[in-house]
Amino acid sequence: MVAAARLLPFEHLPCMAHSLQRTVTVSLKDSGSESVLAQCRKIVGHFKHSPSNAQELNEQQVAHGLKQESLAQDVATRWNSTLELVKRMQRNKSPLTTTLAQQKSKVAMLTDQELAKLQKLEELLEPCRYVTELLGGEQYVSCSVVLPALRHLFRVMEPSDDDPVYVLRFKKAFTTDLAQRKDTNLKWLKITTALDPRFKDLKCLPKDERSEVWASVRDLMMRETPAQQPAAETTEEPSPKKKRRMSILLCSSDSDTDDEEESIEHCLDCYKAEPKMDIEGGSKREGAHARLAPIARKYLSTPATTALLEVVLTLRPHYSKEASFFVP
C-alpha cells in the first residue's frame, strides 16, 4: 500500500495507533522485560487451557473479595493487550499465589521483584493506552490530536533519577523508535494541528517551527482562490453593487497579488487572535473564516487511526489488514 501511494495523487498516512503499538513492542523487548512477561503468559496459559484450574482461580477470587474474571493473554496485534495482561496479573496476585500453591503446580508465581517490575510497566503503558484510545475516536476529530498526544508521551518518557535500569532502557527505546515513526507525513500533521482551534497555539512544536507551519497554511490559502470554488448557476447578471459585496465576502478575490496576500494575512491574524475553543465552537465560526474553511475541512477530516477500518476487516477478514489509509 505504501508503494501504491507513491504512484497515486494521494497523501499516505500510517495508522498512529499501530505505530504506537509497534513502538511499545520494541520498547518492551529492548528493556529486558520479556522474561517477566513470558512468565505471565505461562501462568495465563495454565488457567486458560484448563477449565478446572480456571474454576479454582474463580473460587479463590471470591474468597479474597475480588470479582471473578479471567486472566488476559496479550496478543501482538491487539492494542494495549500487554497492559491488560499486567493489570489482571497484579489484581489477582493473591488468588493466583494461593491457587498455584494448592495445586502444587510446576508453574511458579511471580516473585515480589517481578511483581514490582510489572507495576513499573503498568505506569509506563497506561499513558500509551490513553493516547491510543484518544487517537482511535470515530465520533470526533482525531488527526489534529496526534502531535499534542505524542508530545505528551515524550514528556512522560523523560528519564528520572529514580528510574531503575530497565525503565530507563524502556524510555530510551520508546522515544527513539517513536521519533522515527512520527516523521511520516509530519508536514500534514503540523498543518492539521494549526487548523484545529484547540491547538492553534502550536505549543506541541518547537518555537522555531511554528512560523514555518503558518507559512504552509498561507500557501494553501493562496492556492485556494475563490475562483476555484464553483459558482452558483444564475441567468441574472448581478448588479455592480452586489458584485462589490461578493468581492468583499471573498476576501478581495479580484484584487492584485499584494492585496490578496494582505487579505490572507488579515484572515490568519484574525484566526490566531481568537481564543482557543473546541471543534464545535470552531465550526460555528466557519463563516468568519471563509478562506480557511475549505482547507480545514480537508485536513481535519483525516482520521488518526484505522479504528473503523478494523471493524470492517473483522467482518470481512479476506481483505488486506495493512494498517494505513489514504486521503485526497
PDB file of all heavy atoms in Angstrom, residues 12 76 83 149 167 178 182 206 224 274 284 295 297 327:
ATOM      1  N   HIS A  12      -0.237   9.570   1.898  1.00  0.00           N
ATOM      2  CA  HIS A  12      -0.291   8.325   2.664  1.00  0.00           C
ATOM      3  C   HIS A  12      -0.020   8.624   4.136  1.00  0.00           C
ATOM      4  O   HIS A  12       0.994   9.224   4.490  1.00  0.00           O
ATOM      5  CB  HIS A  12       0.743   7.330   2.147  1.00  0.00           C
ATOM      6  CG  HIS A  12       0.838   6.091   2.992  1.00  0.00           C
ATOM      7  ND1 HIS A  12       1.842   5.881   3.896  1.00  0.00           N
ATOM      8  CD2 HIS A  12       0.028   5.010   3.086  1.00  0.00           C
ATOM      9  CE1 HIS A  12       1.667   4.720   4.506  1.00  0.00           C
ATOM     10  NE2 HIS A  12       0.573   4.178   4.035  1.00  0.00           N
ATOM     11  N   ALA A  76       0.088  -9.654  19.996  1.00  0.00           N
ATOM     12  CA  ALA A  76       0.901  -8.600  19.385  1.00  0.00           C
ATOM     13  C   ALA A  76       0.073  -7.633  18.554  1.00  0.00           C
ATOM     14  O   ALA A  76       0.393  -6.454  18.456  1.00  0.00           O
ATOM     15  CB  ALA A  76       2.007  -9.224  18.533  1.00  0.00           C
ATOM     16  N   LEU A  83      -0.836  -4.326  28.473  1.00  0.00           N
ATOM     17  CA  LEU A  83      -1.227  -3.588  29.667  1.00  0.00           C
ATOM     18  C   LEU A  83      -2.332  -4.323  30.407  1.00  0.00           C
ATOM     19  O   LEU A  83      -2.312  -4.406  31.650  1.00  0.00           O
ATOM     20  CB  LEU A  83      -1.694  -2.180  29.289  1.00  0.00           C
ATOM     21  CG  LEU A  83      -2.256  -1.331  30.432  1.00  0.00           C
ATOM     22  CD1 LEU A  83      -1.212  -1.108  31.512  1.00  0.00           C
ATOM     23  CD2 LEU A  83      -2.767   0.007  29.903  1.00  0.00           C
ATOM     24  N   ALA A 149      -0.648  14.716  21.363  1.00  0.00           N
ATOM     25  CA  ALA A 149      -0.615  13.457  22.115  1.00  0.00           C
ATOM     26  C   ALA A 149       0.795  12.882  22.165  1.00  0.00           C
ATOM     27  O   ALA A 149       1.240  12.391  23.212  1.00  0.00           O
ATOM     28  CB  ALA A 149      -1.575  12.450  21.485  1.00  0.00           C
ATOM     29  N   VAL A 167      13.631   0.537  33.311  1.00  0.00           N
ATOM     30  CA  VAL A 167      12.733   1.634  32.959  1.00  0.00           C
ATOM     31  C   VAL A 167      13.449   2.640  32.066  1.00  0.00           C
ATOM     32  O   VAL A 167      12.886   3.138  31.082  1.00  0.00           O
ATOM     33  CB  VAL A 167      12.183   2.313  34.222  1.00  0.00           C
ATOM     34  CG1 VAL A 167      11.411   3.582  33.855  1.00  0.00           C
ATOM     35  CG2 VAL A 167      11.284   1.370  34.995  1.00  0.00           C
ATOM     36  N   LEU A 178       9.688   5.991  18.531  1.00  0.00           N
ATOM     37  CA  LEU A 178       8.526   6.828  18.216  1.00  0.00           C
ATOM     38  C   LEU A 178       8.933   8.072  17.432  1.00  0.00           C
ATOM     39  O   LEU A 178       8.180   8.536  16.561  1.00  0.00           O
ATOM     40  CB  LEU A 178       7.810   7.230  19.497  1.00  0.00           C
ATOM     41  CG  LEU A 178       6.460   7.927  19.319  1.00  0.00           C
ATOM     42  CD1 LEU A 178       5.480   7.028  18.570  1.00  0.00           C
ATOM     43  CD2 LEU A 178       5.873   8.328  20.677  1.00  0.00           C
ATOM     44  N   LYS A 182       7.014   9.082  13.918  1.00  0.00           N
ATOM     45  CA  LYS A 182       6.164  10.265  13.819  1.00  0.00           C
ATOM     46  C   LYS A 182       6.565  11.169  12.658  1.00  0.00           C
ATOM     47  O   LYS A 182       5.817  12.068  12.286  1.00  0.00           O
ATOM     48  CB  LYS A 182       6.210  11.075  15.117  1.00  0.00           C
ATOM     49  CG  LYS A 182       7.390  12.001  15.260  1.00  0.00           C
ATOM     50  CD  LYS A 182       7.163  13.022  16.352  1.00  0.00           C
ATOM     51  CE  LYS A 182       8.231  14.090  16.315  1.00  0.00           C
ATOM     52  NZ  LYS A 182       8.009  15.194  17.239  1.00  0.00           N
ATOM     53  N   PRO A 206       8.332  22.993  18.605  1.00  0.00           N
ATOM     54  CA  PRO A 206       9.342  23.989  18.983  1.00  0.00           C
ATOM     55  C   PRO A 206       9.002  25.346  18.370  1.00  0.00           C
ATOM     56  O   PRO A 206       8.398  25.434  17.299  1.00  0.00           O
ATOM     57  CB  PRO A 206      10.638  23.418  18.386  1.00  0.00           C
ATOM     58  CG  PRO A 206      10.379  21.955  18.227  1.00  0.00           C
ATOM     59  CD  PRO A 206       8.921  21.824  17.932  1.00  0.00           C
ATOM     60  N   GLU A 224      -5.978  28.232  -2.662  1.00  0.00           N
ATOM     61  CA  GLU A 224      -7.427  28.046  -2.533  1.00  0.00           C
ATOM     62  C   GLU A 224      -8.126  29.357  -2.859  1.00  0.00           C
ATOM     63  O   GLU A 224      -8.744  30.002  -2.020  1.00  0.00           O
ATOM     64  CB  GLU A 224      -7.775  27.603  -1.111  1.00  0.00           C
ATOM     65  CG  GLU A 224      -9.200  27.099  -0.946  1.00  0.00           C
ATOM     66  CD  GLU A 224      -9.411  25.733  -1.542  1.00  0.00           C
ATOM     67  OE1 GLU A 224      -8.440  24.968  -1.652  1.00  0.00           O
ATOM     68  OE2 GLU A 224     -10.556  25.440  -1.911  1.00  0.00           O
ATOM     69  N   GLU A 274      -8.179  34.910  17.871  1.00  0.00           N
ATOM     70  CA  GLU A 274      -9.335  34.408  18.605  1.00  0.00           C
ATOM     71  C   GLU A 274      -8.902  33.462  19.720  1.00  0.00           C
ATOM     72  O   GLU A 274      -7.895  32.762  19.597  1.00  0.00           O
ATOM     73  CB  GLU A 274     -10.295  33.674  17.663  1.00  0.00           C
ATOM     74  CG  GLU A 274     -11.051  34.579  16.715  1.00  0.00           C
ATOM     75  CD  GLU A 274     -12.033  33.806  15.866  1.00  0.00           C
ATOM     76  OE1 GLU A 274     -11.928  32.574  15.811  1.00  0.00           O
ATOM     77  OE2 GLU A 274     -12.899  34.438  15.249  1.00  0.00           O
ATOM     78  N   LYS A 284     -18.726  26.695  14.236  1.00  0.00           N
ATOM     79  CA  LYS A 284     -19.692  27.792  14.193  1.00  0.00           C
ATOM     80  C   LYS A 284     -19.066  29.080  13.666  1.00  0.00           C
ATOM     81  O   LYS A 284     -19.777  30.011  13.292  1.00  0.00           O
ATOM     82  CB  LYS A 284     -20.272  28.015  15.584  1.00  0.00           C
ATOM     83  CG  LYS A 284     -21.094  26.838  16.105  1.00  0.00           C
ATOM     84  CD  LYS A 284     -21.571  27.091  17.518  1.00  0.00           C
ATOM     85  CE  LYS A 284     -22.364  25.892  18.045  1.00  0.00           C
ATOM     86  NZ  LYS A 284     -22.810  26.098  19.444  1.00  0.00           N
ATOM     87  N   ILE A 295      -9.919  24.465   3.580  1.00  0.00           N
ATOM     88  CA  ILE A 295      -8.663  23.802   3.938  1.00  0.00           C
ATOM     89  C   ILE A 295      -8.844  23.009   5.224  1.00  0.00           C
ATOM     90  O   ILE A 295      -8.385  21.872   5.341  1.00  0.00           O
ATOM     91  CB  ILE A 295      -7.534  24.839   4.096  1.00  0.00           C
ATOM     92  CG1 ILE A 295      -7.383  25.648   2.808  1.00  0.00           C
ATOM     93  CG2 ILE A 295      -6.215  24.169   4.460  1.00  0.00           C
ATOM     94  CD1 ILE A 295      -6.433  26.815   2.931  1.00  0.00           C
ATOM     95  N   ARG A 297     -11.621  21.731   6.395  1.00  0.00           N
ATOM     96  CA  ARG A 297     -12.447  20.551   6.147  1.00  0.00           C
ATOM     97  C   ARG A 297     -11.616  19.412   5.585  1.00  0.00           C
ATOM     98  O   ARG A 297     -11.818  18.243   5.923  1.00  0.00           O
ATOM     99  CB  ARG A 297     -13.592  20.902   5.189  1.00  0.00           C
ATOM    100  CG  ARG A 297     -14.763  21.602   5.859  1.00  0.00           C
ATOM    101  CD  ARG A 297     -15.979  21.604   4.954  1.00  0.00           C
ATOM    102  NE  ARG A 297     -15.745  22.412   3.756  1.00  0.00           N
ATOM    103  CZ  ARG A 297     -16.037  23.705   3.661  1.00  0.00           C
ATOM    104  NH1 ARG A 297     -16.559  24.334   4.702  1.00  0.00           N
ATOM    105  NH2 ARG A 297     -15.817  24.372   2.552  1.00  0.00           N
ATOM    106  N   VAL A 327      -5.675   9.809   1.986  1.00  0.00           N
ATOM    107  CA  VAL A 327      -6.565  10.961   1.962  1.00  0.00           C
ATOM    108  C   VAL A 327      -6.255  11.765   0.711  1.00  0.00           C
ATOM    109  O   VAL A 327      -5.113  11.813   0.267  1.00  0.00           O
ATOM    110  CB  VAL A 327      -6.363  11.834   3.216  1.00  0.00           C
ATOM    111  CG1 VAL A 327      -6.802  11.103   4.456  1.00  0.00           C
ATOM    112  CG2 VAL A 327      -4.930  12.283   3.352  1.00  0.00           C
TER     113      VAL A 327
END
